[in-house]
Amino acid sequence: MERNIQGSLNKVSFVSITIATLITVLYFLQTPKASIPPSTTQKPRLRFPNSTCDSTPRRYLPLSKKNSRLWSSKSWMTQVSSFTQFFTQLHQMGLLQQHSKVLCVSAGAGHEVMALSKMGLEDVKGVELIESLPLVSRANPHNLPFSDGAFDVAFSSHLMEALYPMWYAGEMERTVRKGGLCVVVVDECGEEEVKEIASLFRQSRLLGSSNVTLNGRRVTRIIMRHKSY
């Protein structure tokens, strides 16, 4: 009797294995409903990067197209217009000429560089820790790659954000010729603060200061003239 029971169990096991095998084969042979039909046009396959360090070439917009989009934006044009008004005032004061050589320190994306260029100044250079070509080149504001007295005017609206303001001011001063100008813009402040900022420029004398509007905020413009010996 035990043999009959064992035989029955073996038969049941065999049948179960056979059914399971058939179901598995049919599962792999059947096309899932979610699959893409063979007639569907295949899109080109893009390899997903293995990591953030993957060196696979990626598609980037050419620099000219990137700049075209940036320079045509409302924000860009508004800031350039504000800088144009700012420098036009210096021109009207007789402190900025068409032939002036101007250095813009910590120029960001280059709004002030474009403003000066649009005013007709041919020799304008902008520097920043991160370049924004073609308007701004890469350079350390605390160690400018220019010879002594190379410019007529040095301008910056980021002096007070410098890690070492005295070195920063010293480099602006060094690159300006004797009799040239160092012009800085800081948050609106009083007479005592103006004198403290002007004292950073040890080889220059305070020419004047005034409160003006730049890029929608009130600021203080400080002008120093490099001493002539």
Side-chain angles (χ1 to χ4, degrees), residues 11-164:
K11 288 180 182 180
V12 171
S13 297
F14 177 77
V15 172
S16 298
I17 293 171
T18 303
I19 293 173
T21 302
L22 290 174
I23 291 174
T24 301
V25 171
L26 289 174
Y27 176 80
F28 282 107
L29 291 177
Q30 183 180 4
T31 302
K33 293 181 180 180
S35 297
I36 300 174
S39 59
T40 302
T41 303
Q42 297 292 317
K43 294 183 179 180
R45 294 182 179 179
L46 297 177
R47 187 170 71 85
F48 193 83
N50 294 324
S51 71
T52 55
C53 298
D54 195 339
S55 60
T56 303
R58 294 174 175 81
R59 294 180 180 179
Y60 293 102
L61 281 176
L63 181 60
S64 58
K65 288 188 176 181
K66 283 186 178 180
N67 286 337
S68 179
R69 288 185 180 183
L70 175 63
W71 297 344
S72 61
S73 68
K74 183 178 180 180
S75 174
W76 178 273
M77 291 188 290
T78 298
Q79 291 188 61
V80 170
S81 176
S82 184
F83 273 111
T84 299
Q85 294 176 16
F86 177 88
F87 289 121
T88 297
Q89 293 174 2
L90 294 182
H91 177 71
Q92 292 171 345
M93 294 164 64
L95 302 176
L96 189 64
Q97 309 298 329
Q98 295 296 108
H99 60 269
S100 296
K101 297 180 179 180
V102 182
L103 172 64
C104 298
V105 184
S106 296
H111 301 91
E112 56 262 58
V113 177
M114 179 173 283
L116 288 164
S117 297
K118 285 191 172 185
M119 288 174 60
L121 279 75
E122 298 181 356
D123 197 339
V124 183
K125 288 183 171 57
V127 295
E128 180 59 272
L129 288 173
I130 300 176
E131 66 183 14
S132 295
L133 298 176
L135 298 175
V136 180
S137 301
R138 181 180 178 182
N140 182 356
H142 297 89
N143 185 23
L144 295 171
F146 304 108
S147 59
D148 297 356
F151 298 94
D152 299 304
V153 179
F155 167 79
S156 179
S157 59
H158 296 283
L159 169 64
M160 303 316 296
E161 299 168 19
L163 187 60
Y164 303 105

